[in-house]
Amino acid sequence: MKVNFTNKYFKFYFSIIFLILVSISGFICDQDVSVSPPPPSVSTGILRMHSEPEGFTIFLNGRNTGRITPDSLIYLDYGTYQVTLKKKYFRDTSISVNISEGLPVDTSIDFLSNPLMYGSLNIRSNPEGTMIFLNDSSTTYSTPAIINNLIPGLYSITLKKTGFRDADLSAISVESNVTKTIYTELEDTSIWVNYQVSNSNIPTNVLSCIAIDMDGTKWIGTYEYGLLKFDGSNFTKFDKDNSPLPDNYILCLTVDQSNRLWIGTDNGLAVLSNNNWTIYTKDNSGLPINSIKSLAAESSNLMWIGTSVGLVKYDGNWQVYTISPDVTNWINTISIDQIQTKWLGIGDTSLGVMSFNGTDFTNYPMEEYGYQTKNVMCSAVSPSGQIWFACNPFKGVLGGLSYFDGNNFNNITLASFLLVNNINISISDKKWISTNAGLYKITGTSQITIYSTTNSPLTSNDIKGTAEDSQGILWIATGTGGLVKFKEANN
C-alpha cells in the first residue's frame, strides 16, 4: 500500500509541472518577436574621370579630391556634381555630371580641342634673324616671331646665329590664352666670348694661369680645381682625385718644344705628355723643394725651373743653382732670350733683375739701371729681343713696366700701385699685360690700350694670364670671371 501511494503522489506532481510548462510555452508563443529591420540600400555611384592631356587635379563641388586624371571617384551619392579639372599653366575647366542608378559614369575632357587652352610666345632678340629652337627642336621661325598654339607648360628656348654665342633660356612658361614676350641679347663671338660656370661646363671662375699647346688645346690652372683642359667645346678637369696631379693649386704652366705640358704646383712638378703623367718631387728627383714658382723651356730636352730656394736645370739630370747664400733665391720669373741667356726676377728685393748664361749670374742693380722697383714678378722676351719686366709696387714706390734694350732699362708707368700678374708678348710684338685692374695692350713701346669691365665685355678686371693661339686669338684667364676669348684681330 505504501508503494502505490507514492506512485500516485509522484504522478500527480508530474502532471501539475507539465501543465505549468505548457501554460508558459503558450504564453511565450503568443508574444511578438522583435527583429531589427534590414538597413536601407545605399545609393552610390562611380565617376571615371579622364583628360587629354593627363595629369589634372580633380575638384568635386569645389573640393580637392586629391585625385589626378585618369582616376575614379567612388561611393558618390546620386545627384548632380560640378567637376573641375585644374593643372598649372592651363585654364580651369568645369562640367556638370549627373550620378544616377545604373552603370558608372565615364567622363573625359579634351583640353587640346579648345583653342583657348593654347598659349603663345613672342620671341625677340638683338640681333634679329636668330633661329629659334624649342625644346631642342627647330621651329623654322627666326626672330622676331610669335609662335602660337603652344601647349601650356615649361619650354627651353635656344636662339642661334652665326657669329654669335647661342642663347639658352630654360623654364620659360607658356600659359593658356596668354602671349608671353621673351627678349634676349646674343653675345657677339666675332670679338669676345666668355666661359663661366653660369654658361659652360667650366668648374670654376677662379683661374690662375694659362698655356696653349701645339695642338691648340688650352690648358688652364686654377686655385682649387687643379688643371683644366679646354678643346674649344668642353672642359676636362684633372685634380688629385682623378689624376696623379700632386696639388690642385696650379702656380705656373708652360709647353716645351716636344709639346709636353709642364705644371708647377706648391707640392711638386708634373709633366703631361700624350695622357701620360710624370711627377717630380724632392723625394724622387733632384728638386730641392716642392714649391715651383716659374718655368721656362729652353729646348725639348732642357727645362729651367724657378723655386723658392734657387734655380733648377733639368735635362735628364738635375742641377740646382744657388744665387747667393745671403738672399732667399726665390725665382719669381724666368725668360730666355735669343742667345739662351736666362733672365730672372728675384723675390728677394735686394737683387731685382739678374741674368744667367749657364755658368755665371749677373745682377742689374736698380740703383744703377733705374728700373721701377726690385719687386720683379714676371717677364717676357719680345721678338725684337727686348726683355720686359713687371716691377710691382714696393714700400710705397709705384711700380710699372721696364724693358731692357741690351744697354738700358726704359720705364713705363701704368697706374698707381698697379699689380702686374703676367706679361705675354705675341709674335706680332704686342705686349699683353695682365693686371689686377684690367688687361693692358702695348703696341711698340708707347701706345697703350686698356680693356676693363667698364669698356669691354671682360668678365673680371683681375687678369691672371693670357696666351695667343695659332690663329691670333687671345685667351684670357681671369681671377674671378672664368675664361675669356678675345678675337682682337677682328676688332
Side-chain angles (χ1 to χ4, degrees):
M1 291 294 292
K2 186 176 181 179
V3 174
N4 290 337
F5 176 78
T6 302
N7 289 338
K8 289 181 180 180
Y9 189 77
F10 175 78
K11 290 179 180 179
F12 172 77
Y13 278 99
F14 180 79
S15 298
I16 295 299
I17 293 171
F18 177 76
L19 291 175
I20 292 172
L21 291 175
V22 170
S23 299
I24 294 173
S25 175
F27 175 78
I28 293 175
C29 290
D30 289 340
Q31 301 298 312
D32 292 332
V33 178
S34 176
V35 179
S36 299
S41 60
V42 179
S43 300
T44 61
I46 298 175
L47 172 62
R48 296 172 180 162
M49 199 70 226
H50 304 267
S51 69
E52 178 61 34
E54 298 176 345
F56 284 76
T57 302
I58 304 171
F59 287 74
L60 200 62
N61 292 339
R63 180 180 62 85
N64 189 344
T65 66
R67 303 286 185 170
I68 306 295
T69 61
D71 207 339
S72 298
L73 304 179
I74 61 177
Y75 302 121
L76 298 178
D77 293 337
Y78 296 151
T80 300
Y81 293 86
Q82 183 187 54
V83 179
T84 302
L85 298 188
K86 297 186 177 186
K87 188 176 183 179
K88 192 173 183 180
Y89 309 121
F90 282 81
R91 292 182 64 182
D92 296 351
T93 296
S94 299
I95 60 172
S96 293
V97 177
N98 184 50
I99 305 297
S100 59
E101 187 174 1
L103 295 176
V105 177
D106 282 279
T107 300
S108 180
I109 297 179
D110 186 358
F111 287 86
L112 302 183
S113 65
N114 183 356
L116 296 179
M117 285 297 163
Y118 293 88
S120 302
L121 287 174
N122 178 14
I123 305 176
R124 305 172 63 82
S125 69
N126 182 24
E128 296 181 343
T130 62
M131 296 180 61
I132 302 173
F133 290 76
L134 290 183
N135 296 336
D136 297 325
S137 298
S138 176
T139 64
T140 71
Y141 289 93
S142 60
T143 58
I146 297 177
I147 304 178
N148 297 311
N149 300 318
L150 295 175
I151 298 174
L154 295 178
Y155 287 78
S156 63
I157 301 174
T158 300
L159 304 181
K160 296 177 178 284
K161 187 176 178 68
T162 302
F164 291 82
R165 189 175 199 162
D166 293 352
D168 294 312
L169 308 172
S170 60
I172 303 301
S173 61
V174 172
E175 302 178 35
S176 292
N177 205 32
V178 173
T179 298
K180 171 173 276 191
T181 298
I182 302 297
Y183 174 81
T184 189
E185 295 194 10
L186 277 69
E187 185 177 355
D188 186 350
T189 58
S190 64
I191 301 176
W192 298 87
V193 62
N194 69 80
Y195 302 87
Q196 299 187 78
V197 172
S198 60
N199 62 19
S200 72
N201 69 333
I202 192 170
T204 179
N205 291 333
V206 182
L207 311 181
S208 60
C209 51
I210 185 170
I212 301 177
D213 67 19
M214 297 176 184
D215 301 319
T217 301
K218 272 61 72 176
W219 297 95
I220 306 149
T222 77
Y223 287 112
E224 53 183 335
Y225 286 89
L227 177 70
L228 305 181
K229 175 185 178 182
F230 183 54
D231 61 8
S233 299
N234 295 297
F235 291 87
T236 303
K237 180 178 69 171
F238 300 93
D239 59 21
K240 291 177 61 177
D241 295 330
N242 67 4
S243 76
L245 193 69
D247 200 299
N248 289 337
Y249 193 121
I250 309 298
L251 298 178
C252 51
L253 296 169
T254 197
V255 177
D256 68 14
Q257 289 85 337
S258 296
N259 205 30
R260 293 178 296 180
L261 179 69
W262 294 72
I263 308 155
T265 79
D266 246 343
N267 200 35
L269 177 65
V271 183
L272 180 58
S273 176
N274 295 322
N275 298 318
N276 296 314
W277 292 84
T278 304
I279 307 300
Y280 299 109
T281 68
K282 63 185 181 67
D283 297 326
N284 69 354
S285 72
L287 283 173
I289 196 170
N290 287 335
S291 182
I292 310 300
K293 302 303 180 184
S294 51
L295 295 164
E298 182 170 330
S299 67
S300 59
N301 298 314
L302 179 54
M303 178 64 61
W304 294 93
I305 304 158
T307 76
S308 57
V309 295
L311 180 66
V312 179
K313 174 184 176 182
Y314 179 65
D315 57 2
N317 297 304
W318 299 88
Q319 186 170 355
V320 179
Y321 297 91
T322 300
I323 299 171
S324 169
D326 300 324
V327 297
T328 63
N329 289 272
W330 188 302
I331 313 297
N332 284 328
T333 179
I334 308 169
S335 291
I336 304 174
D337 67 15
Q338 289 86 342
I339 60 173
Q340 310 309 316
T341 299
K342 274 61 69 176
W343 293 89
L344 313 176
I346 309 303
D348 189 299
T349 53
S350 64
L351 292 178
V353 174
M354 299 199 71
S355 67
F356 181 61
N357 61 10
T359 303
D360 299 314
F361 289 95
T362 301
N363 183 218
Y364 294 79
M366 183 191 73
E367 294 79 7
E368 180 180 347
Y369 287 89
Y371 48 86
Q372 310 261 21
T373 72
K374 294 180 181 179
N375 190 19
V376 181
M377 296 303 297
C378 46
S379 62
V381 177
S382 75
S384 61
Q386 296 171 340
I387 319 300
W388 286 70
F389 299 92
C391 304
N392 281 350
F394 182 71
K395 293 184 177 180
V397 179
L398 296 180
L401 299 173
S402 294
Y403 64 91
F404 183 59
D405 59 13
N407 296 302
N408 301 300
F409 282 81
N410 304 273
N411 295 329
I412 300 174
T413 300
L414 299 178
S416 297
F417 297 101
L418 193 72
L419 298 178
V420 177
N421 298 314
N422 177 264
I423 301 175
N424 170 41
I425 303 179
S426 70
I427 58 174
S428 60
D429 206 24
K430 293 176 183 175
K431 293 83 181 176
W432 295 100
I433 314 301
S434 301
T435 80
N436 65 335
L439 179 65
Y440 283 64
K441 181 183 76 171
I442 301 177
T443 304
T445 58
S446 59
Q447 184 179 345
I448 299 177
T449 304
I450 304 173
Y451 298 97
S452 69
T453 56
T454 59
N455 68 0
S456 76
L458 269 177
T459 53
S460 170
N461 285 332
D462 186 16
I463 312 300
K464 296 301 183 182
T466 64
E468 190 175 85
D469 65 20
S470 59
Q471 298 176 340
I473 298 173
L474 191 71
W475 295 84
I476 306 164
T478 75
T480 57
L483 180 68
V484 178
K485 176 181 178 182
F486 180 30
K487 299 182 181 180
E488 194 265 342
N490 296 331
N491 189 0

